[in-house]
Amino acid sequence: MLQNMLKRYDILLVLLLFLFSVSAEYHELFSLLENQTIAFRHSIRSVFGKPEDTRFPLDRISLISIDDRFFDAYGKYPLRRSDLAKIIRNVHGLGAKVICIDLLLDLPDAFGEDDLLAEALRESSAVLASRAMFDSKNRFQTIRYPFSLLKESARSGYINLTSPSASLTFLNRLRIRPEITQLEDGWPIAVQAVSAYLNVRPALKGRKLILGEQVLPLDHFYDIYIDFSSLPGEYQFLSRYAGIPASEFLHMSEYDPLETAELQIWVKDKIVIIGDTTAVSHDWFDTPVGMAYGAEIIAETASTLLRGAPLRPAGFWAEIFMSFLFFCLILIWTSKIRSLPMQLSGAFLLFFLYTGFCCTVYLYRGTVFSMGYNLICGICAYMVLSFFAYSKEKARSRSRRQEKEQEERKRQAAEAANRAKSIFLANMSHELRTPLHAILGFTQLMEKNPNLPSEHLEHTAIIINSGEHLLSLINQILDLSKVESGRMILCKTDFDLRELMREVENMLRIKAQQKGLHLHFETGETLPFQIRTDRTRLRQILINLLDNAIKFSEKGSVWVRAAAEILPDAAEENPECLIRFEVEDSGPGIAPEEREILFNAFVQTETGRKQEEGTGLGLVICRQFVRLMGGELTLISPSCPGVTQKDASENTRAGGSLFVFSIPAACTLLSPEKHIPNPEQTEILSDTELPRENPQEIKTSLPPELPEDLEQAIHDLDDDRIARLIGNLEPEYPKLHEILSDLARQYRYGEILRIISGEKM
């Protein structure tokens, strides 16, 4: 199985994409897209998350913003350090626990006011901003601390936040750099402010940040996801929601006690962050909640640390498992589903489910699974699998088309060969019948020679019998070749079905009586009186089946049954009906091993071979004719496989063979009241229409072999020989020739025999 999978290049590519996804996720190669997925999940968390989990802690953190309104009232720029010292003293005097100053004070003051600011810093618990410096390869170099006098007066922390994207600054993480923590004040400013607020010293143990009793896990980059708060709809910036202008703390001596108490509510026992939020400071960055000022990001970072960093990255193995499961589902879906719309629908569903899973665990568990990497690589995997599936399907389609074309060429070649064979047989049959008629004719003339020795008479009789047998075989081959070559055309006419069955009965009754068999014709009550189909072919089918039934039955009876059923939804005029014919004999039946070859050309059953009669084409021609007429000829025999004794007893009466076929036909006459006689039918002859000569004289004047030959031809149902023998009477007995010809056209062979034997005369 593994070897078969390794032969599948699409699976190997998907495996490579899976490994690439894990590697890209670890090294954050698609961080720009991943940042957008973080913003998307955060927007969902802001709407559907619990308010207590996403609300900004106003009771622990507040902002003092030095904004454009402040400078409009201040009247000058930048803020003098003496005024900054005054603000710090006033905020400290109102009870602020920690004052975090997000202003870079790395240069000495031009007005010499650093002493005033340093004194204010020493009096309060303040944290100043520093900056970590890196080279072009993002390797740490040094920390750019505040001016030395100020640095000695307060602790500091660097304000560098982490943007995972190199092409766009997107701040959503706080990164703890182990190499910087070894230095003095080598912690981020938010960590310094929170540790001062909690009155603890920060520590780093492995990939865990220790803040007193709080243990915050870090990812493999030593990052903490910043949990940005959800702001009420009317507030765009955190400084407007949790902040107050710095001008309120600049001239507090003018306030009454009530106003002072109101300001005290904003800062007492809190982390107070003082930052520049003016437009000219360019201190704003892109975050999951939109643009935010640096002081606001520090406030959100401090809030995240105080709440125990609720957003935490998923474990490494959990990420690998989810990625592997995602790719396996894509692989299974695309390999099982062949339809392109279904593949697209399935891929969309998988991406939707994976996105929903990541958003759900982000919303309720605060767990951050990577989305962008798996989605990108999943789309690539889907495209690879779809391309390979399309290529394979195209190759299979091309192969099927080639096989189909090859089969079509073979079929056409076979049909062409079959048509050529049939045409050849038809032509050869015509070519053979012409000299054969001459042979039979001259042999019959020789037979009439009174001077021919008896030995030669026996030879001529053998020639005539063999020639007539050969002529019958040629006629059957001609019929079969016409059907196979497609030249056999049904000639549909309206005719009396009951009259046709009487004709067949008249033809074969004598043969049945000679073998001591009883011939029964049964017609159902629903059988129409007149139908439209090919009369000649139907007659030939019935004669062949009935002749076989008589031939292979030594005693008992032979039944012919006909019934009809009007098809549903048939038209009122000339409704379509299904006529069912059954020909049953009391013979020995057909062996199971012979049933499969029964309808093969030139194949006879064991019983047929013992009879030494027939050519093995009768049933083949019957089945072809039945199929040409829209039906199917089947055999029901007790000895056939699959036919139980119960079924056989229900369908057969004497244990022999039962041939059944049904053909569709238009019922042109259903009731006998509207029956129109067949125009081709000749009225029954009266004795007055017979020749007036003495019957015994006519009988004695006829060729002595005529009655015997005519009786044998009628027994063999040889229409051509019957017509030929009757035609020989025309020169000497024209009236008798006319009468016998009319009776032969109606297949009233019994009356013909009675006439030539002198009974009717």
Side-chain angles (χ1 to χ4, degrees):
M1 181 177 179
L2 181 60
Q3 292 179 351
N4 294 334
M5 291 182 61
L6 293 177
K7 293 179 181 178
R8 291 278 305 271
Y9 295 107
D10 52 347
I11 297 181
L12 290 177
L13 286 176
V14 171
L15 181 60
L16 291 177
L17 284 171
F18 164 70
L19 297 176
F20 175 76
S21 172
V22 174
S23 177
E25 176 186 336
Y26 186 85
H27 297 286
E28 297 188 335
L29 299 182
F30 305 118
S31 56
L32 180 60
L33 177 62
E34 186 65 22
N35 292 337
Q36 304 308 313
T37 66
I38 292 292
F40 171 72
R41 282 178 277 184
H42 189 80
S43 63
I44 293 178
R45 188 168 184 262
S46 300
V47 175
F48 299 101
K50 296 180 180 179
E52 59 271 19
D53 294 337
T54 61
R55 186 183 300 118
F56 185 80
L58 291 174
D59 57 333
R60 306 174 80 176
I61 303 173
S62 64
L63 288 93
I64 296 177
S65 45
I66 305 174
D67 54 9
D68 294 323
R69 293 179 299 173
F70 170 82
F71 283 108
D72 290 341
Y74 188 62
K76 51 185 175 289
Y77 188 86
L79 176 64
R80 298 284 294 269
R81 294 190 179 179
S82 58
D83 292 331
L84 177 59
K86 186 183 299 184
I87 294 173
I88 293 173
R89 285 194 181 96
N90 291 334
V91 171
H92 177 67
L94 292 174
K97 193 170 184 178
V98 177
I99 301 175
C100 181
I101 303 170
D102 182 27
L103 299 172
L104 289 177
L105 305 173
D106 52 342
L107 297 176
D109 184 42
F111 298 97
E113 299 176 346
D114 289 327
D115 294 338
L116 296 175
L117 180 57
E119 184 179 354
L121 294 173
R122 284 192 293 270
E123 294 174 357
S124 62
S125 177
V127 179
L128 297 177
S130 62
R131 177 169 300 203
M133 308 301 296
F134 301 88
D135 60 11
S136 58
K137 296 183 180 181
N138 201 30
R139 290 178 300 192
F140 173 71
Q141 298 295 315
T142 186
I143 296 179
R144 190 172 179 181
Y145 293 103
F147 179 59
S148 57
L149 181 59
L150 303 178
K151 177 179 176 298
E152 296 172 356
S153 302
R155 70 173 70 181
S156 64
Y158 58 88
I159 58 175
N160 306 68
L161 296 175
T162 301
S163 175
S165 174
S167 58
L168 180 67
T169 302
F170 187 91
L171 302 183
N172 68 329
R173 304 182 199 177
L174 170 67
R175 176 163 296 179
I176 309 296
R177 298 182 179 272
E179 67 274 20
I180 306 180
T181 58
Q182 306 300 322
L183 303 177
E184 182 184 5
D185 293 336
W187 295 92
I189 189 172
V191 175
Q192 292 284 59
V194 170
S195 60
Y197 179 81
L198 298 175
N199 196 23
V200 297
R201 294 183 61 84
L204 188 64
K205 291 184 179 180
R207 292 187 179 178
K208 295 179 181 179
L209 175 62
I210 309 299
L211 293 176
E213 296 181 355
Q214 291 195 36
V215 180
L216 309 181
L218 308 174
D219 65 7
H220 57 286
F221 286 114
Y222 294 87
D223 288 349
I224 294 177
Y225 282 91
I226 302 174
D227 185 16
F228 288 87
S229 305
S230 299
L231 301 179
E234 63 271 17
Y235 295 98
Q236 184 178 2
F237 296 99
L238 180 64
S239 57
R240 300 292 177 87
Y241 172 68
I244 188 170
S247 57
E248 299 291 337
F249 299 92
L250 189 59
H251 304 290
M252 286 188 58
S253 58
E254 302 175 359
Y255 296 159
D256 56 31
L258 184 61
E259 292 174 331
T260 302
E262 184 178 353
L263 288 177
Q264 188 177 21
I265 295 174
W266 276 95
V267 299
K268 186 177 181 181
D269 297 329
K270 298 180 181 181
I271 299 175
V272 179
I273 301 172
I274 302 174
D276 190 347
T277 58
T278 60
V280 297
S281 66
H282 299 289
D283 189 25
W284 65 80
F285 306 93
D286 194 13
T287 68
V289 295
M291 299 301 296
Y293 290 100
E296 295 174 334
I297 297 175
I298 295 173
E300 294 284 13
T301 306
S303 171
T304 300
L305 296 175
L306 289 174
R307 290 187 287 131
L311 297 181
R312 302 186 179 187
F316 177 74
W317 293 109
E319 290 274 12
I320 290 181
F321 174 77
M322 286 305 302
S323 300
F324 182 75
L325 179 62
F326 180 63
F327 279 90
C328 285
L329 291 175
I330 293 176
L331 181 61
I332 293 173
W333 183 267
T334 52
S335 61
K336 294 295 183 181
I337 304 301
R338 300 293 184 186
S339 173
L340 181 60
M342 289 297 295
Q343 284 187 353
L344 290 174
S345 302
F348 176 79
L349 178 63
L350 287 177
F351 294 149
F352 177 78
L353 291 177
Y354 183 74
T355 302
F357 169 78
C358 293
C359 293
T360 301
V361 296
Y362 186 92
L363 173 62
Y364 294 105
R365 303 287 297 177
T367 304
V368 183
F369 277 93
S370 298
M371 282 180 56
Y373 307 101
N374 288 332
L375 291 178
I376 290 177
C377 295
I379 292 174
C380 293
Y382 170 75
M383 294 176 64
V384 167
L385 292 172
S386 299
F387 173 76
F388 275 88
Y390 170 77
S391 301
K392 290 181 180 178
E393 185 62 29
K394 191 173 181 181
R396 283 193 293 265
S397 177
R398 182 167 57 251
S399 177
R400 287 194 298 266
R401 185 172 62 253
Q402 291 175 352
E403 291 177 358
K404 188 176 180 180
E405 292 175 353
Q406 186 176 2
E407 291 177 358
E408 181 65 19
R409 286 194 295 268
K410 290 180 180 179
R411 186 187 64 81
Q412 292 177 356
E415 289 181 354
N418 192 42
R419 285 194 299 269
K421 178 202 70 174
S422 300
I423 294 172
F424 171 77
L425 290 175
N427 293 334
M428 288 302 297
S429 299
H430 286 291
E431 296 296 330
L432 290 172
R433 284 200 301 178
T434 301
L436 189 56
H437 280 300
I439 293 172
L440 290 174
F442 282 108
T443 306
Q444 290 169 355
L445 290 176
M446 292 173 60
E447 191 180 25
K448 295 177 182 179
N449 187 356
N451 300 323
L452 196 66
S454 60
E455 181 181 356
H456 290 175
L457 284 175
E458 293 179 2
H459 294 166
T460 55
I462 293 174
I463 294 174
I464 291 173
N465 291 334
S466 300
E468 289 175 348
H469 178 74
L470 181 59
L471 183 61
S472 175
L473 176 61
I474 292 173
N475 290 335
Q476 290 179 340
I477 293 176
L478 180 60
D479 288 339
L480 184 61
S481 63
K482 285 182 179 180
V483 175
E484 291 181 347
S485 61
R487 296 192 301 169
M488 179 70 72
I489 300 175
L490 293 179
C491 194
K492 295 185 178 181
T493 57
D494 295 345
F495 62 92
D496 190 334
L497 180 58
R498 287 178 170 80
E499 181 64 29
L500 173 63
M501 296 185 68
R502 282 193 293 271
E503 291 178 5
V504 175
E505 182 180 7
N506 291 333
M507 290 176 62
L508 296 169
R509 183 170 296 281
I510 296 175
K511 187 174 182 179
Q513 290 174 352
Q514 289 176 348
K515 295 192 67 173
L517 299 173
H518 299 284
L519 190 60
H520 304 280
F521 276 75
E522 301 175 0
T523 56
E525 296 180 356
T526 59
L527 191 70
F529 282 82
Q530 189 167 291
I531 64 172
R532 181 181 297 128
T533 188
D534 193 320
R535 186 182 189 275
T536 303
R537 304 304 165 205
L538 180 57
R539 173 181 168 273
Q540 188 172 353
I541 294 168
L542 292 174
I543 290 174
N544 283 346
L545 293 177
L546 193 54
D547 184 59
N548 283 345
I550 294 172
K551 184 190 304 181
F552 298 116
S553 296
E554 298 299 329
K555 61 180 179 178
S557 301
V558 175
W559 290 269
V560 179
R561 293 182 284 273
E565 177 186 359
I566 303 297
L567 296 177
D569 302 330
E572 294 183 2
E573 183 178 357
N574 298 337
E576 189 80 9
C577 63
L578 191 66
I579 303 178
R580 176 186 172 91
F581 294 93
E582 297 180 0
V583 179
E584 181 183 351
D585 61 58
S586 56
I590 299 173
E593 62 272 10
E594 294 179 334
R595 185 173 182 266
E596 298 297 329
I597 62 173
L598 184 63
F599 293 99
N600 293 345
F602 302 104
V603 174
Q604 289 182 298
T605 62
E606 182 66 24
T607 306
R609 289 192 293 271
K610 290 179 180 179
Q611 293 278 349
E612 296 182 353
E613 297 183 23
T615 60
L617 290 176
L619 287 178
V620 180
I621 295 174
C622 287
R623 169 172 274 192
Q624 295 288 358
F625 283 170
V626 171
R627 288 178 175 176
L628 190 64
M629 299 175 74
E632 183 63 36
L633 177 63
T634 57
L635 166 68
I636 299 177
S637 178
S639 56
C640 292
V643 178
T644 63
Q645 191 65 32
K646 179 181 178 182
D647 295 334
S649 61
E650 291 178 354
N651 290 280
T652 61
R653 300 183 180 185
S657 298
L658 173 62
F659 286 91
V660 179
F661 68 94
S662 300
I663 57 172
C667 301
T668 57
L669 189 63
L670 294 174
S671 60
E673 292 79 6
K674 300 179 181 180
H675 179 56
I676 301 174
N678 193 340
E680 297 182 356
Q681 180 178 351
T682 304
E683 296 179 359
I684 299 177
L685 300 176
S686 63
D687 292 341
T688 58
E689 295 175 302
L690 296 175
R692 296 182 181 276
E693 292 83 354
N694 188 331
Q696 294 300 326
E697 292 180 359
I698 295 176
K699 179 179 179 181
T700 56
S701 63
L702 289 175
E705 70 277 0
L706 177 63
E708 183 179 350
D709 292 344
L710 195 56
E711 182 179 354
Q712 183 63 36
I714 292 175
H715 179 271
D716 295 338
L717 301 177
D718 192 340
D719 295 343
D720 292 339
R721 188 180 179 192
I722 293 171
R724 185 168 62 254
L725 292 173
I726 294 175
N728 294 335
L729 298 173
E730 185 175 9
E732 298 182 18
Y733 305 96
K735 183 62 176 176
L736 182 61
H737 169 266
E738 181 181 354
I739 293 172
L740 296 182
S741 297
D742 289 341
L743 291 174
R745 280 193 294 271
Q746 301 177 58
Y747 306 103
R748 295 162 67 180
Y749 295 143
E751 296 184 25
I752 293 176
L753 292 177
R754 286 193 293 272
I755 290 175
I756 63 175
S757 63
E759 295 179 10
K760 187 148 184 160
M761 299 167 61

